[in-house]
Amino acid sequence: MVNLKINGLPVQVQEGTTILDAAKSLNFRIPTLCYHQDLCVAGNCRVCVVEQVGAKALVASCATPVSDGMEINTNTLKVRTARKHIIELLLSEHNADCTKCYKNGACELQTLANEYSVGDHLFIDLPGLAKRSVDITSPSLIKDDSKCIRCQRCVRTCAELQGVNALAVAYKGHEQKISSFFDKPMHEVVCTNCGQCINRCPTGALVERNYIDEVWNAILDPEKHVVVQTAPAVRVGLGEALGLSAGHRVTGKMVAALKRLGFDSVLDTDFTADLTIMEEGTELLTRLKEVLVNKNEKVALPMTTSCSPGWIKFIEHTFPEFLPNVSSCKSPQQMFGALAKTYYAQKRGIDPSKIVSISIMPCTAKKFEADRPEMRSSGYKDVDYVLTTRELARMIRQAGIDFAKLEPVSYDSIMGSSTGAAVIFGATGGVMEAALRTAYEIVTGREVPFKDLNITAVRGMEGVRTASVKIDGTKPEWNFLEGVELKCAVAHGLVNARELMKSVKEGKAVYHFIEIMACPGGCLGGGGQPIPTNAEIRQKRAEAIYDEDMNMVLRKSHENPEITQIYKEFLGKPNSHKSHELLHTHYVERRHY
């Protein structure tokens, strides 16, 4: 332990603690811009400087470890003047058209400018002199160099959390900028559209592509029937964007708000999450039979999940040789979109050309996924517009809805019913757990041998987790699986996905089934979720996800009565010809840059 004083107050902290964290333990907030809890220390912005008694210069609190007997002052005249000048220097190069900025009111630089009453214009305003571009080529995100303060959070996020390296620092001095490979447009490079850079950008330099006006236009068009689906993780994130603390489940309030916004039918992506389990589980069991019984060496194992579009684009770029291993199932979002303009339209007697399909997602990569040419099996664009959790919160505020006072209501019928297995899709390991709950019962006729159906081995925030389930007492038709130890792996965050797939490629690990989610913590940590994000917030969202599962009457996908109904009336059976037409797809190899 180390003893020191901060602003005259004694404090004892662990050796290796930074001044920034030591100050937090005394409830002193030191402003930061380049620092983020999820990332390595950079010390780029110098906004966090403090005065160390006896030191010749101010020190960066985020990058300086404490030492015994140290005396720190966080709010002296020297410190305040330095911080104010640093903020003014950043603003002198910043396109400060704040009232038109998407991040207005949620910009960390703007907040600091207000706190330090910056407005003296001590330095020349340079934005008009600099050649800065705005990249709007991606369907998922917008990159505006004129608003970048070069804190490099995005670069570290892309490298450390995702291992993608789509962004890097280019040039020097006043020409320095955050660039893609050879400054190519974002839609042409290895970017996976995951949006993690957006979640950590302190300004409006990186934001999601906004489709709010298009959705309002559809809602207000009397000729259109607007259907909306909501992803599992949205219900544990939306409350944060509307003033509630992290970890609140707001499912019923969210449905009520969507109805007040004017959507014609409010349905649940969880329905097609259950459908995904039926299709994907059947696909896995079919592959296992081909390998174990028919000795078909052409069948690719391990099979990997296909729910995360960020993961799909990553594997297309980085491990294209494993594309045959990816489940052919579409994601729940895209299954829903295809069914909205076929099954739903048929049941409701609506011309599918009049249906506008909207999805509310925790994910910016879903915007890219909806635009893929493969996602038009309904004869139309299956999902017309994707909104993030943040965009939905903005619409609710625009409509003047007092979210906190809404009475919870239920989803509409026809693709609105779901189970707890579908809810846990929102957390890392959830797809694996949901699949095992159903597959084990189909094969043995018994529930998985875990207390309260909770397969805790695949839960948690470790980067890669492994589990195995031994199959005993199979039904006669599944006796080829008798005694088989089903080996599974779960990874979240693409840097962990890379390590897992590398180990499979090198033959160091053997699995039957792999779940990969592109974002830290899974969908609940998606690039479209409320900001800020950190490990503590993601853990609270995960707890809310599992709490919702435990409180549901049905907790296994195959028990969903609407799933039984859609197979009986429309699809026939899992992996049927109709299912493959609408619910399955293929992916393509992409260049690695």
Side-chain angles (χ1 to χ4, degrees):
M1 302 299 290
V2 173
N3 293 285
L4 69 154
K5 287 185 178 180
I6 298 178
N7 297 332
L9 298 177
V11 62
Q12 188 180 68
V13 295
Q14 196 79 31
E15 184 180 4
T17 302
T18 62
I19 295 172
L20 180 69
D21 287 332
K24 285 180 185 176
S25 69
L26 288 175
N27 295 318
F28 287 116
R29 184 183 71 86
I30 298 174
T32 60
L33 280 175
C34 69
Y35 170 82
H36 194 283
Q37 288 171 275
D38 289 337
L39 307 174
C40 74
V41 172
N44 292 329
C45 72
R46 317 307 284 185
V47 171
C48 71
V49 291
V50 295
E51 190 169 1
Q52 179 182 346
V53 175
K56 294 181 180 179
L58 299 178
V59 297
S61 62
C62 72
T64 307
V66 297
S67 60
D68 211 48
M70 179 182 276
E71 292 186 35
I72 297 296
N73 294 305
T74 69
N75 197 40
T76 64
L77 179 61
K78 187 177 180 179
V79 168
R80 289 183 55 78
T81 302
R83 281 185 194 154
K84 188 170 183 178
H85 285 176
I86 291 166
I87 295 166
E88 286 172 331
L89 281 166
L90 290 171
L91 287 171
S92 72
E93 293 188 306
H94 182 73
N95 178 6
D97 191 4
C98 295
T99 55
K100 293 183 180 179
C101 181
Y102 186 67
K103 288 287 286 287
N104 185 25
C107 169
E108 293 177 44
L109 179 61
Q110 183 187 52
T111 299
L112 288 181
N114 288 335
E115 285 182 4
Y116 284 84
S117 302
V118 173
D120 298 334
H121 292 279
L122 296 179
F123 306 103
I124 298 171
D125 288 331
L126 298 175
L129 303 177
K131 295 179 180 178
R132 302 296 186 193
S133 61
V134 181
D135 184 349
I136 59 171
T137 59
S138 169
S140 297
L141 58 88
I142 296 173
K143 178 175 176 284
D144 186 347
D145 291 341
S146 72
K147 296 173 183 175
C148 178
I149 60 172
R150 298 186 290 284
C151 67
Q152 300 178 32
R153 276 193 197 171
C154 58
V155 175
R156 285 176 284 146
T157 297
C158 203
E160 295 169 26
L161 290 185
Q162 300 299 64
V164 175
N165 295 290
L167 295 170
V169 181
Y171 312 113
K172 295 182 179 180
H174 71 280
E175 293 183 350
Q176 187 184 85
K177 63 179 290 188
I178 306 302
S179 178
S180 57
F181 179 78
F182 277 98
D183 213 20
K184 288 180 177 289
M186 292 302 291
H187 82 287
E188 291 185 15
V189 297
V190 74
C191 172
T192 63
N193 303 285
C194 70
Q196 292 303 312
C197 56
I198 297 172
N199 278 13
R200 289 160 184 82
C201 177
T203 66
L206 286 162
V207 297
E208 65 262 42
R209 188 75 176 267
N210 184 333
Y211 296 99
I212 291 174
D213 286 343
E214 289 85 345
V215 174
W216 275 125
N217 290 340
I219 290 173
L220 298 172
D221 185 344
E223 298 295 314
K224 300 295 185 183
H225 181 87
V226 188
V227 178
V228 65
Q229 56 168 309
T230 63
V234 176
R235 67 205 68 202
V236 298
L238 180 62
E240 293 170 41
L242 293 166
L244 301 178
S245 58
H248 270 80
R249 291 186 290 124
V250 295
T251 311
K253 288 180 181 290
M254 175 181 66
V255 175
L258 289 165
K259 289 178 179 290
R260 291 200 181 189
L261 289 175
F263 288 98
D264 295 299
S265 192
V266 181
L267 303 173
D268 201 356
T269 316
D270 286 17
F271 167 80
T272 37
D274 280 331
L275 191 63
T276 298
I277 291 303
M278 302 306 296
E279 293 292 322
E280 197 168 71
T282 300
E283 182 183 3
L284 175 62
L285 293 173
T286 301
R287 290 196 190 200
L288 289 171
K289 184 176 182 179
E290 281 294 307
V291 171
L292 297 174
V293 177
N294 300 331
K295 309 299 180 183
N296 187 345
E297 296 181 358
K298 294 181 180 179
V299 173
L301 285 177
M303 189 178 88
T304 79
T305 57
S306 55
C307 295
S308 169
W311 152 242
I312 293 299
K313 193 160 186 287
F314 178 77
I315 196 173
E316 287 177 327
H317 284 290
T318 312
F319 293 101
E321 67 272 26
F322 281 108
L323 284 174
N325 295 68
V326 178
S327 167
S328 65
C329 289
K330 292 180 179 178
S331 72
Q333 169 184 272
Q334 294 305 138
M335 284 191 181
F336 186 100
L339 293 172
K341 296 185 179 182
T342 53
Y343 175 68
Y344 175 86
Q346 177 182 306
K347 292 280 286 185
R348 294 290 300 269
I350 301 170
D351 180 352
S353 67
K354 302 292 185 183
I355 292 177
V356 180
S357 175
I358 311 297
S359 68
I360 313 297
M361 293 286 139
C363 175
T364 52
K366 290 291 182 185
K367 296 173 185 277
F368 169 83
E369 181 185 46
D371 266 13
R372 292 183 72 120
E374 302 93 346
M375 303 302 176
R376 296 173 181 263
S377 57
S378 65
Y380 306 87
K381 187 180 179 186
D382 294 336
V383 175
D384 294 291
Y385 301 108
V386 178
L387 301 180
T388 62
T389 307
R390 295 190 295 265
E391 286 172 275
L392 174 58
R394 187 172 290 240
M395 286 186 72
I396 291 170
R397 290 194 297 268
Q398 286 177 352
I401 296 171
D402 189 341
F403 188 78
K405 293 182 179 178
L406 289 175
E407 289 296 322
V409 297
S410 300
Y411 286 100
D412 295 322
S413 61
I414 309 176
M415 297 167 47
S417 172
S418 63
T419 69
V423 170
I424 60 176
F425 265 55
T428 173
V431 179
M432 178 70 68
E433 182 170 353
L436 290 175
R437 288 181 188 179
T438 287
Y440 190 90
E441 192 159 329
I442 287 174
V443 170
T444 67
R446 306 185 308 277
E447 291 185 341
V448 287
F450 294 88
K451 185 179 179 182
D452 296 328
L453 301 177
N454 297 327
I455 308 177
T456 54
V458 298
R459 296 183 181 184
M461 293 296 177
E462 298 85 2
V464 176
R465 300 177 304 288
T466 59
S468 61
V469 179
K470 190 172 183 180
I471 302 174
D472 292 313
T474 61
K475 294 179 179 178
E477 63 269 32
W478 298 105
N479 61 8
F480 64 90
L481 290 175
E482 182 66 39
V484 169
E485 189 175 4
L486 191 66
K487 295 181 178 180
C488 308
V490 175
H492 63 111
L494 293 175
V495 72
N496 296 312
R498 181 188 292 274
E499 289 304 310
L500 177 57
M501 295 310 296
K502 185 180 176 182
S503 68
V504 172
K505 183 176 181 177
E506 294 174 351
K508 295 178 180 178
V510 178
Y511 302 106
H512 298 104
F513 191 27
I514 294 175
E515 179 207 305
I516 294 179
M517 292 292 166
C519 297
C523 297
L524 57 84
Q529 289 284 73
I531 301 170
T533 181
N534 56 45
E536 182 183 355
I537 289 172
R538 293 191 291 273
Q539 183 60 44
K540 288 180 179 177
R541 292 173 186 168
E543 290 167 2
I545 286 273
Y546 291 120
D547 189 46
E548 178 127 335
D549 166 43
M550 286 295 293
N551 282 281
M552 296 189 74
V553 176
L554 302 177
R555 299 183 58 216
K556 293 173 281 188
S557 295
H558 57 281
E559 293 180 344
N560 184 339
E562 286 196 5
I563 294 296
T564 304
Q565 183 181 4
I566 196 171
Y567 279 116
K568 181 179 180 181
E569 297 179 352
F570 189 68
L571 295 173
K573 62 179 182 179
N575 283 205
S576 67
H577 179 70
K578 189 80 169 179
S579 290
H580 272 280
E581 279 186 341
L582 292 174
L583 309 181
H584 293 251
T585 189
H586 65 280
Y587 301 105
V588 297
E589 181 175 349
R590 299 177 190 269
R591 287 175 291 187
H592 188 76
Y593 61 71

